[in-house]
CSV table of all heavy atoms in Angstrom, one decimal:
chain,number,residue,atom,x,y,z
A,1,TYR,N,12.5,-1.4,0.4
A,1,TYR,CA,11.2,-1.7,1.0
A,1,TYR,C,10.9,-0.7,2.1
A,1,TYR,O,9.7,-0.4,2.2
A,1,TYR,CB,11.3,-3.1,1.5
A,1,TYR,CG,11.7,-4.1,0.5
A,1,TYR,CD1,13.0,-4.8,0.6
A,1,TYR,CD2,11.0,-4.3,-0.6
A,1,TYR,CE1,13.4,-5.6,-0.4
A,1,TYR,CE2,11.4,-5.1,-1.7
A,1,TYR,CZ,12.6,-5.8,-1.5
A,1,TYR,OH,13.0,-6.6,-2.6
A,2,VAL,N,11.9,-0.2,2.7
A,2,VAL,CA,11.6,0.9,3.7
A,2,VAL,C,11.3,2.2,3.0
A,2,VAL,O,10.5,2.9,3.5
A,2,VAL,CB,12.9,1.0,4.7
A,2,VAL,CG1,12.8,2.3,5.6
A,2,VAL,CG2,13.1,-0.3,5.5
A,3,LYS,N,11.9,2.4,1.9
A,3,LYS,CA,11.6,3.6,1.0
A,3,LYS,C,11.2,3.1,-0.3
A,3,LYS,O,12.0,3.2,-1.3
A,3,LYS,CB,12.9,4.5,0.9
A,3,LYS,CG,13.3,5.0,2.3
A,3,LYS,CD,14.6,5.8,2.2
A,3,LYS,CE,14.3,7.1,1.6
A,3,LYS,NZ,15.4,8.0,1.6
A,4,PRO,N,9.9,2.7,-0.5
A,4,PRO,CA,9.4,2.1,-1.7
A,4,PRO,C,9.2,3.0,-2.9
A,4,PRO,O,9.2,4.2,-2.8
A,4,PRO,CB,8.1,1.5,-1.3
A,4,PRO,CG,7.6,2.3,-0.2
A,4,PRO,CD,8.8,2.8,0.5
A,5,ASP,N,9.1,2.4,-4.0
A,5,ASP,CA,8.7,3.1,-5.3
A,5,ASP,C,7.2,3.3,-5.3
A,5,ASP,O,6.5,2.4,-5.5
A,5,ASP,CB,9.1,2.2,-6.5
A,5,ASP,CG,8.6,2.8,-7.8
A,5,ASP,OD1,8.1,3.9,-7.8
A,5,ASP,OD2,8.8,2.1,-8.9
A,6,THR,N,6.9,4.6,-4.9
A,6,THR,CA,5.4,4.9,-4.7
A,6,THR,C,4.6,4.9,-6.0
A,6,THR,O,3.5,5.0,-5.9
A,6,THR,CB,5.3,6.2,-3.9
A,6,THR,OG1,5.9,7.2,-4.7
A,6,THR,CG2,5.9,6.1,-2.5
A,7,ASN,N,5.3,4.8,-7.1
A,7,ASN,CA,4.6,4.8,-8.4
A,7,ASN,C,4.3,3.4,-8.9
A,7,ASN,O,3.7,3.2,-9.9
A,7,ASN,CB,5.3,5.6,-9.4
A,7,ASN,CG,5.3,7.1,-9.1
A,7,ASN,OD1,4.3,7.7,-8.7
A,7,ASN,ND2,6.5,7.7,-9.2
A,8,SER,N,4.8,2.4,-8.2
A,8,SER,CA,4.7,1.1,-8.7
A,8,SER,C,3.4,0.4,-8.4
A,8,SER,O,2.7,0.8,-7.5
A,8,SER,CB,5.9,0.2,-8.1
A,8,SER,OG,5.6,0.0,-6.8
A,9,GLU,N,3.1,-0.6,-9.2
A,9,GLU,CA,1.8,-1.4,-9.0
A,9,GLU,C,1.9,-2.1,-7.6
A,9,GLU,O,0.9,-2.2,-7.0
A,9,GLU,CB,1.6,-2.4,-10.1
A,9,GLU,CG,1.0,-1.9,-11.4
A,9,GLU,CD,-0.3,-1.2,-11.2
A,9,GLU,OE1,-1.2,-1.9,-10.7
A,9,GLU,OE2,-0.5,0.0,-11.6
A,10,GLU,N,3.1,-2.5,-7.3
A,10,GLU,CA,3.2,-3.3,-6.0
A,10,GLU,C,2.9,-2.3,-4.8
A,10,GLU,O,2.3,-2.7,-3.8
A,10,GLU,CB,4.6,-3.8,-5.9
A,10,GLU,CG,4.9,-5.0,-6.8
A,10,GLU,CD,5.3,-4.6,-8.3
A,10,GLU,OE1,5.4,-3.4,-8.6
A,10,GLU,OE2,5.5,-5.5,-9.1
A,11,TYR,N,3.3,-1.1,-5.0
A,11,TYR,CA,3.0,-0.2,-3.8
A,11,TYR,C,1.6,0.2,-3.8
A,11,TYR,O,1.0,0.3,-2.7
A,11,TYR,CB,3.9,1.2,-4.0
A,11,TYR,CG,3.6,2.2,-3.0
A,11,TYR,CD1,4.3,2.1,-1.7
A,11,TYR,CD2,2.8,3.3,-3.2
A,11,TYR,CE1,4.0,3.0,-0.7
A,11,TYR,CE2,2.6,4.2,-2.2
A,11,TYR,CZ,3.2,4.1,-0.9
A,11,TYR,OH,3.0,5.0,0.0
A,12,LYS,N,0.9,0.3,-4.9
A,12,LYS,CA,-0.5,0.6,-4.9
A,12,LYS,C,-1.3,-0.5,-4.3
A,12,LYS,O,-2.3,-0.3,-3.6
A,12,LYS,CB,-1.0,0.8,-6.4
A,12,LYS,CG,-0.5,2.1,-7.0
A,12,LYS,CD,-0.9,2.3,-8.4
A,12,LYS,CE,-0.2,3.5,-9.0
A,12,LYS,NZ,-0.3,3.5,-10.4
A,13,ILE,N,-0.8,-1.8,-4.5
A,13,ILE,CA,-1.5,-2.9,-3.8
A,13,ILE,C,-1.3,-2.8,-2.3
A,13,ILE,O,-2.2,-3.1,-1.5
A,13,ILE,CB,-1.1,-4.2,-4.4
A,13,ILE,CG1,-1.6,-4.3,-5.9
A,13,ILE,CG2,-1.5,-5.4,-3.6
A,13,ILE,CD1,-1.1,-5.5,-6.6
A,14,ALA,N,0.0,-2.5,-1.9
A,14,ALA,CA,0.3,-2.4,-0.5
A,14,ALA,C,-0.5,-1.3,0.2
A,14,ALA,O,-1.1,-1.5,1.3
A,14,ALA,CB,1.8,-2.2,-0.3
A,15,LYS,N,-0.7,-0.2,-0.5
A,15,LYS,CA,-1.5,0.9,0.1
A,15,LYS,C,-3.0,0.5,0.1
A,15,LYS,O,-3.7,0.9,1.0
A,15,LYS,CB,-1.4,2.2,-0.8
A,15,LYS,CG,-0.1,2.9,-0.6
A,15,LYS,CD,0.3,3.2,0.9
A,15,LYS,CE,-0.6,4.3,1.4
A,15,LYS,NZ,-0.2,4.7,2.8
A,16,ALA,N,-3.5,-0.2,-0.9
A,16,ALA,CA,-4.9,-0.7,-0.8
A,16,ALA,C,-5.1,-1.6,0.3
A,16,ALA,O,-6.1,-1.6,1.0
A,16,ALA,CB,-5.3,-1.3,-2.2
A,17,ALA,N,-4.1,-2.5,0.6
A,17,ALA,CA,-4.2,-3.4,1.7
A,17,ALA,C,-4.2,-2.7,3.0
A,17,ALA,O,-4.8,-3.1,4.0
A,17,ALA,CB,-3.0,-4.4,1.7
A,18,ASP,N,-3.4,-1.6,3.1
A,18,ASP,CA,-3.4,-0.8,4.3
A,18,ASP,C,-4.8,-0.2,4.6
A,18,ASP,O,-5.3,-0.3,5.7
A,18,ASP,CB,-2.4,0.4,4.1
A,18,ASP,CG,-2.2,1.2,5.4
A,18,ASP,OD1,-2.3,0.7,6.5
A,18,ASP,OD2,-1.9,2.4,5.2
A,19,ARG,N,-5.4,0.3,3.6
A,19,ARG,CA,-6.8,0.8,3.7
A,19,ARG,C,-7.8,-0.3,4.0
A,19,ARG,O,-8.7,-0.1,4.8
A,19,ARG,CB,-7.3,1.5,2.5
A,19,ARG,CG,-6.4,2.8,2.2
A,19,ARG,CD,-6.6,3.8,3.3
A,19,ARG,NE,-7.9,4.6,3.0
A,19,ARG,CZ,-8.5,5.3,3.9
A,19,ARG,NH1,-8.0,5.4,5.1
A,19,ARG,NH2,-9.6,5.9,3.7
A,20,LEU,N,-7.6,-1.5,3.4
A,20,LEU,CA,-8.4,-2.6,3.6
A,20,LEU,C,-8.4,-3.1,5.1
A,20,LEU,O,-9.4,-3.4,5.7
A,20,LEU,CB,-8.1,-3.7,2.7
A,20,LEU,CG,-9.0,-4.9,2.6
A,20,LEU,CD1,-10.4,-4.6,2.2
A,20,LEU,CD2,-8.5,-5.9,1.6
A,21,ALA,N,-7.2,-3.1,5.7
A,21,ALA,CA,-7.0,-3.3,7.1
A,21,ALA,C,-7.8,-2.4,8.0
A,21,ALA,O,-8.3,-2.8,9.0
A,21,ALA,CB,-5.5,-3.4,7.5
A,22,ALA,N,-7.7,-1.1,7.6
A,22,ALA,CA,-8.5,-0.1,8.3
A,22,ALA,C,-10.0,-0.3,8.2
A,22,ALA,O,-10.7,-0.2,9.2
A,22,ALA,CB,-8.1,1.3,7.8
A,23,PHE,N,-10.5,-0.8,7.1
A,23,PHE,CA,-11.8,-1.1,6.8
A,23,PHE,C,-12.2,-2.3,7.7
A,23,PHE,O,-13.3,-2.2,8.3
A,23,PHE,CB,-12.1,-1.3,5.4
A,23,PHE,CG,-13.6,-1.6,5.1
A,23,PHE,CD1,-14.5,-0.6,5.1
A,23,PHE,CD2,-13.9,-3.0,4.8
A,23,PHE,CE1,-15.8,-0.9,4.8
A,23,PHE,CE2,-15.3,-3.3,4.5
A,23,PHE,CZ,-16.3,-2.3,4.5
A,24,VAL,N,-11.4,-3.3,7.8
A,24,VAL,CA,-11.6,-4.4,8.6
A,24,VAL,C,-11.8,-4.1,10.1
A,24,VAL,O,-12.6,-4.5,10.8
A,24,VAL,CB,-10.6,-5.5,8.4
A,24,VAL,CG1,-10.7,-6.6,9.4
A,24,VAL,CG2,-10.8,-6.2,7.0
A,25,LYS,N,-10.9,-3.1,10.5
A,25,LYS,CA,-11.0,-2.6,11.9
A,25,LYS,C,-12.3,-1.9,12.1
A,25,LYS,O,-12.9,-2.2,13.2
A,25,LYS,CB,-9.8,-1.6,12.1
A,25,LYS,CG,-9.9,-0.9,13.4
A,25,LYS,CD,-9.8,-1.8,14.6
A,25,LYS,CE,-9.7,-0.9,15.9
A,25,LYS,NZ,-9.8,-1.8,17.1
C-alpha cells in the first residue's frame, strides 16, 4: 500500500480520487 501497483485498476481509482479532492479544494 505504501508502494502500490501503479498499473492496477485500484491505483487508477485512488489517483482519480486524489485529483477529485484537488478539484473539490
Side-chain angles (χ1 to χ4, degrees):
Y1 307 114
V2 172
K3 299 177 72 174
D5 174 5
T6 58
N7 294 314
S8 68
E9 281 298 308
E10 289 82 4
Y11 181 78
K12 290 174 187 168
I13 291 173
K15 286 306 286 182
D18 186 30
R19 295 296 281 162
L20 190 55
F23 182 74
V24 167
K25 171 64 173 170

